[in-house]
Amino acid sequence: MPCKCKSKEFEKIYRENYKAAITNEFIRSKLDGFDVVRLKRNGTFGRDLELLDLSGNLYIICFRIQTALWEDSAGKQHYVSIFPNFIRKFTRPCLSVLEYISCNTRKGEDIFSHIDDRDNIHSCEDRMVHILDKLDKKCAEKDYAGILNSRYTIVFNKPITISAKEVSRNRFPHVFALIIIVREYFGMCWGSLAAASSIFRF
């Protein structure tokens, strides 16, 4: 939805509350708890925003999102996008999209190499990665796949076997393992993540 704000007002807010505030010290403070050895801002990318003035006239302006690259003590590089906290974009990826990503994205691969976002619905892959990383960690801690496999074994007197090699190659291995178990258990092709969510309430 367009927000009511004059173009010049937005530019002032953007310049003072975002552009001037993005320093290396600010980024480091937001990465607190991570082992950040080296950090540098490495460019921006554009995003369109719809504005309405007080008369109801629609404006489309382009603003820039700052990106940064940081390196940990092991030499591994990580990329972050710093979005303005005064611009909210609520595009929550549905479970079907997350399931597709979980099944097709290997370690080291970019999510957008597997989904076609030609209408630019998703600003970047950060939000989807954040959701799937949290879910993957939860699946590992709670062992959802193991619980379902135990129930399957009780009912059918044999466990569901999945390829450990195939699971380990996946970017989100514990989510992927859960999806495979649900598909085998309930004989479904898609909707496994939604089914698992209804069982475990994650």
Side-chain angles (χ1 to χ4, degrees), residues 149 152 158-164 180-181 184:
N149 209 350
Y152 183 92
K158 63 175 183 178
I160 298 168
T161 56
I162 57 177
S163 169
I180 297 303
I181 294 292
E184 184 68 27

Side-chain angles (χ1 to χ4, degrees), residues 150-190:
S150 295
R151 292 179 186 175
Y152 183 92
T153 303
I154 291 169
V155 174
F156 297 102
N157 203 28
K158 63 175 183 178
I160 298 168
T161 56
I162 57 177
S163 169
K165 186 178 180 181
E166 186 179 358
V167 170
S168 66
R169 287 199 305 252
N170 201 276
R171 184 170 176 179
F172 310 100
H174 301 99
V175 177
F176 178 66
L178 176 61
I179 290 168
I180 297 303
I181 294 292
V182 171
R183 287 181 178 181
E184 184 68 27
Y185 197 130
F186 298 103
M188 57 201 321
C189 293
W190 287 100

Side-chain angles (χ1 to χ4, degrees), residues 10 12 50 63 71 78 84 87 117 138-139 146 157 175 179:
F10 175 80
K12 183 175 184 292
E50 295 179 347
F63 64 98
E71 188 176 299
H78 309 266
I87 299 173
D117 188 30
K138 192 171 183 180
C139 286
N157 203 28
V175 177
I179 290 168

Side-chain angles (χ1 to χ4, degrees), residues 45-58:
F45 59 90
R47 281 293 177 263
D48 289 336
L49 181 69
E50 295 179 347
L51 300 177
L52 283 174
D53 66 12
L54 297 178
S55 301
N57 298 312
L58 179 68

Side-chain angles (χ1 to χ4, degrees), residues 82-116:
I82 302 100
F83 283 83
N85 63 1
F86 50 86
I87 299 173
R88 301 293 187 199
K89 186 171 182 181
F90 298 101
T91 310
R92 186 175 179 85
C94 66
L95 287 173
S96 295
V97 170
L98 295 179
E99 181 173 342
Y100 184 83
I101 291 167
S102 301
C103 291
N104 291 284
T105 311
R106 302 293 188 190
K107 284 182 178 175
E109 288 185 337
D110 186 272
I111 283 174
F112 286 112
S113 63
H114 295 284
I115 61 173
D116 185 3

